[in-house]
Amino acid sequence: MRPLTFIIFALGSLASYGAATDTISGSISQISGRTDSAGDPEIPSSSSDIVERADDCEDWLIIPMNGKDENKLKEIETFLEKVTESDDIFSYRDAENALRFWFVSVTKEQIDEIEQQDGVLRVERNEEDSDGDVAVPLPTAAAYYSDSVGTKVKRALEYTTQSTPASDLRMVSQPTTVPDLGDLENYVYEKHAGEGQYIYHVELGIAAAKIDEFPPNQVEFLRSKRAIRDGLPEDRDGGLADSHSTCVASKAAGQRYGSAKKATLVVVKMTGFVRMEIYSIFDTVWKDIQQKKRQKKSIVTISWGTKDPTDLKDVPSHWQQARMDIERLMKNDVIVVTSAGNDAEKEHDGKKRTEVDQAPAIFASDDYPIIVVGATDNAGNKAAFSQGGNKVAILGPGVDIECQDRSLRQPWITSGTSFSTPLVAGVLANFLSYETIPFDTSDGEVAANAKEYLIKTANWPRKPDTPVIWNGVTEDDNPKKSDTQSATPLPPPSSPVVAPAIPPAANSCVPNPPEGANVRDAHDYLARLAGFVFCHRDEVTGLVTDQKVDIKMMFLMVAQYNGDPNMDDVYDVSITSVDGCKPNGAFNLLEPVEGSKCEDIMADAWQKCPANQGRGGSIVAGCLKYEILTKA
């Protein structure tokens, strides 16, 4: 493969939708290192492939020896300001006001110099280290499984019924006396439904705007310090490839898809699964819980983890810090739930990865009561992908589950332990909201006792050796279909807020340039890459609005082979409202018509105009005009 780097320089006016137009200048992104089978660059598959930086700079974390030695910290920071020629160095201080790291973008020569400074413990590249969907291979049995099913808590509980719910919710309230899920048609849950409890969803944000799944009075937003610094919108899903983060949140506290319908969802948004965020995000969560005095009524849910298998004897430094931060949460009566992983059918060092092998799930032990959740299908069979072993505390439905799609289609169908995890978190929120909580909540014991209650009582095996989550509902409260009295159904979901189904129209191609005109070169894969990057900026991803749309950007695409620039294309990329065409609800920029994504429309607008010497074209879809042009 040829060594290859792209430099993308984006500038121009951005995002005008019924508000003042913002302006961006000097935004540089670089994509490095991959080509396809033809030797052309691959179009990236996620936002983690797009990193803002200048030419030969890389992102680094500077870790001090002593985060509380203010004199030495000031000395180091002054040096960093000199090296970077900036008086605004990004840093993070934890709940004890100790400085954990500085973040800088510098050259290799500069970082070598920084590393030699007195008081610097080490330097680390701020590379992506985690997978956005950790779910895993199957256990033969869950480690803490008890032969006894347990009995219903003997308390006067009042139940609420959701009619025609997702099948995974029906499974949560499946009585022990009804082995066939097909005999049930409702989700039944205790009336408090998590009210007064807080589910901290740590990931990349959710598409909250205009989605009935997340009522505004039940949602709070908490961004990482870097997300605030970068100006990332709090109410948009920052994931690039799919609706993972929005989906996970909906399974915990969503109105239609969630197990805890009255819990408050705290959306904890990171910039990405990078070292900088892992070093600090669980400390950020603790700061919020501590400040608001939410101990004993908070649950943290984590549906992601390390990309690769992690040896407990050789845990990377940022995950060591995360391990300590999570432990502090649990010691302060915050329940933490995480996914087992989805790699059971994959191999590592010639062996199937059938057991949990990724952080944070690998930290689970008798003394570290993080709750690790595996997955089953709706019949109670262990999911083939779900990792297991003695670190898995409980299983939950995680195959073909239904959840909220960020582009407002309802539902999104997907699989993974990522989705069984928030279901369990929601059931725990429900337990915490009982008038009499069914487990001991003595100081310092809540996390451990909640885990023990799940293992010993709040499950029953639908199949041998599969302890599946159960919220304690019996057949008296959730009868079979033939015995069901007329329950009051929840109101049907509101129609998805999308533009009318106007399919993408035929291309409108830019005319050929006049003969002899001086025009820039254009290259198919650079044009497609510009369209891709445009479509996955925060201004476009997940945006739904009923206001006029006018988003325009210019991209300078410089491709380098072996360090020599070969191409320097410039493209104008835009999405604008079509005059006289009004959506039935709102514009959905990422997917204006179901099945037609922004990046695909942009690619077609370019590729279906082959006769105009690469000048580009436009396509209208769902009352929006998608256009990509070569800059003259």
Side-chain angles (χ1 to χ4, degrees):
M1 293 292 183
R2 294 169 290 180
L4 118 84
T5 299
F6 298 114
I7 309 294
I8 306 171
F9 184 82
L11 72 165
S13 27
L14 271 185
S16 172
Y17 24 83
T21 301
D22 298 324
T23 300
I24 186 169
S25 61
S27 174
I28 299 177
S29 298
Q30 177 172 300
I31 301 174
S32 303
R34 291 198 291 274
T35 57
D36 60 22
S37 57
D40 290 335
E42 286 185 356
I43 301 299
S45 59
S46 76
S47 57
S48 63
D49 292 334
I50 303 170
V51 184
E52 292 191 359
R53 68 181 80 246
D55 296 316
D56 55 349
C57 288
E58 293 183 295
D59 294 341
W60 291 86
L61 302 181
I62 316 301
I63 315 298
M65 288 182 178
N66 185 347
K68 292 189 174 181
D69 184 344
E70 296 299 336
N71 290 332
K72 181 57 68 176
L73 295 175
K74 179 61 178 174
E75 182 181 315
I76 297 170
E77 188 157 317
T78 299
F79 179 75
L80 294 176
E81 290 173 350
K82 178 181 176 182
V83 170
T84 60
E85 298 181 355
S86 169
D87 59 359
D88 187 21
I89 303 296
F90 182 85
S91 63
Y92 183 84
R93 287 182 179 267
D94 64 21
E96 283 72 46
N97 201 39
L99 193 144
R100 286 198 179 174
F101 62 81
W102 293 277
F103 170 84
V104 294
S105 291
V106 293
T107 65
K108 182 62 170 66
E109 292 74 18
Q110 289 172 323
I111 201 63
D112 288 343
E113 188 178 2
I114 292 169
E115 191 173 15
Q116 300 306 313
Q117 288 301 299
D118 183 41
V120 172
L121 178 63
R122 63 180 178 274
V123 298
E124 300 178 13
R125 282 189 177 86
N126 187 43
E127 57 197 4
E128 180 156 337
D129 181 70
S130 292
D131 190 349
D133 184 1
V134 174
V136 274
L138 257 12
T140 323
Y144 305 103
Y145 172 57
S146 167
D147 287 332
S148 64
V149 169
T151 58
K152 181 181 176 183
V153 182
K154 302 298 184 183
R155 292 176 176 81
L157 301 178
E158 296 181 37
Y159 291 102
T160 299
T161 296
Q162 177 185 356
S163 299
T164 62
S167 56
D168 46 87
L169 286 177
R170 285 188 287 126
M171 195 175 188
V172 169
S173 62
Q174 182 179 359
T176 60
T177 54
V178 184
D180 186 352
L181 188 64
D183 288 336
L184 300 170
E185 58 184 357
N186 300 319
Y187 170 49
V188 178
Y189 53 95
E190 202 275 337
K191 68 174 184 178
H192 290 93
E195 187 173 11
Q197 312 309 306
Y198 300 86
I199 299 176
Y200 283 75
H201 164 59
V202 182
E203 202 169 317
L204 301 178
I206 66 169
K210 295 185 177 295
I211 297 181
D212 294 339
E213 185 71 359
F214 306 110
N217 64 335
Q218 288 180 221
V219 179
E220 295 179 5
F221 297 97
L222 177 65
R223 290 176 293 171
S224 71
K225 184 178 178 181
R226 188 68 198 188
I228 294 171
R229 168 80 169 251
D230 290 353
L232 298 186
E234 62 184 13
D235 59 351
R236 297 186 199 164
D237 188 332
L240 205 54
D242 55 32
S243 299
H244 185 274
S245 189
T246 297
C247 173
V248 169
S250 73
K251 296 313 297 179
Q255 296 305 290
R256 178 145 297 271
Y257 304 114
S259 53
K261 301 183 187 299
K262 294 183 182 179
T264 297
L265 178 69
V266 184
V267 181
V268 186
K269 183 170 184 175
M270 304 183 292
T271 58
F273 302 107
V274 292
R275 288 186 172 222
M276 172 173 57
E277 298 288 38
I278 295 164
Y279 258 121
S280 58
I281 197 62
F282 299 110
D283 180 74
T284 297
V285 170
W286 168 239
K287 287 177 182 177
D288 193 72
I289 291 173
Q290 183 184 42
Q291 177 186 356
K292 296 171 181 175
K293 295 180 171 50
R294 290 177 175 175
Q295 297 92 323
K296 297 191 179 182
K297 50 186 178 181
S298 294
I299 300 165
V300 175
T301 181
I302 310 165
S303 287
W304 51 276
T306 50
K307 280 183 179 179
D308 303 312
T310 302
D311 188 340
L312 265 176
K313 298 177 181 178
D314 189 26
V315 177
S317 57
H318 51 296
W319 274 106
Q320 290 179 25
Q321 183 63 64
R323 180 180 187 171
M324 291 187 289
D325 289 340
I326 292 170
E327 184 173 28
R328 178 176 55 186
L329 286 166
M330 295 187 294
K331 284 183 175 180
N332 283 279
D333 295 320
V334 177
I335 300 170
V336 182
V337 188
T338 192
S339 47
N342 300 319
D343 296 327
E345 298 174 293
K346 297 181 181 178
E347 290 190 0
H348 180 69
D349 289 340
K351 296 180 180 179
K352 286 289 184 71
R353 296 170 57 188
T354 53
E355 295 194 0
V356 168
D357 61 2
Q358 296 157 301
I362 58 166
F363 302 147
S365 71
D366 290 343
D367 298 323
Y368 195 96
I370 189 170
I371 297 168
V372 180
V373 182
T376 69
D377 63 20
N378 289 329
N381 300 299
K382 298 171 186 175
F385 56 75
S386 179
Q387 287 170 276
N390 63 6
K391 294 184 181 295
V392 176
I394 198 163
L395 307 177
V399 176
D400 293 335
I401 63 97
E402 299 177 16
C403 63
Q404 178 64 57
D405 183 279
R406 71 177 180 188
S407 63
L408 308 188
R409 294 194 314 273
Q410 297 185 27
W412 189 42
I413 310 297
T414 187
S415 300
T417 60
S418 284
F419 313 108
S420 52
T421 297
L423 278 172
V424 170
V427 172
L428 285 166
N430 291 347
F431 290 152
L432 287 175
S433 69
Y434 282 13
E435 291 179 7
T436 304
I437 298 173
F439 50 84
D440 182 9
T441 58
S442 298
D443 290 353
E445 301 297 328
V446 171
N449 290 338
K451 180 174 181 176
E452 182 181 30
Y453 185 73
L454 287 182
I455 292 164
K456 292 183 176 180
T457 302
N459 75 78
W460 69 273
R462 277 43 163 197
K463 303 289 182 180
D465 298 326
T466 58
V468 182
I469 185 68
W470 173 52
N471 66 359
V473 168
T474 68
E475 195 170 351
D476 289 341
D477 302 300
N478 190 14
K480 296 179 182 179
K481 289 179 183 177
S482 57
D483 304 327
T484 302
Q485 304 299 315
S486 55
T488 303
L490 289 181
S494 58
S495 300
V497 185
V498 295
I502 302 174
N507 279 57
S508 175
C509 299
V510 174
N512 284 322
E515 188 173 348
N518 184 19
V519 295
R520 284 184 176 270
D521 288 339
H523 300 83
D524 176 72
Y525 44 88
L526 289 184
R528 288 188 293 119
L529 184 58
F532 180 93
V533 173
F534 174 87
C535 288
H536 291 286
R537 291 189 65 95
D538 271 341
E539 292 78 11
V540 175
T541 301
L543 174 66
V544 177
T545 177
D546 56 5
Q547 316 248 350
K548 183 176 180 181
V549 176
D550 186 10
I551 304 177
K552 296 178 181 177
M553 291 194 69
M554 184 175 73
F555 292 87
L556 167 60
M557 314 291 290
V558 179
Q560 297 178 339
Y561 290 81
N562 296 313
D564 297 324
N566 294 69
M567 291 162 277
D568 59 347
D569 302 358
V570 179
Y571 301 94
D572 285 325
V573 188
S574 64
I575 301 177
T576 54
S577 307
V578 176
D579 290 339
C581 182
K582 295 210 170 184
N584 180 20
F587 295 110
N588 184 340
L589 277 63
L590 189 65
E591 189 171 6
V593 177
E594 185 170 348
S596 296
K597 294 287 185 72
C598 173
E599 64 262 35
D600 297 329
I601 297 171
M602 287 294 187
D604 283 347
W606 177 266
Q607 292 179 308
K608 292 184 178 179
C609 291
N612 65 357
Q613 301 179 40
R615 300 307 97 199
S618 62
I619 290 178
V620 172
C623 289
L624 293 170
K625 180 181 179 182
Y626 292 73
E627 186 169 52
I628 179 167
L629 309 174
T630 304
K631 189 75 174 175

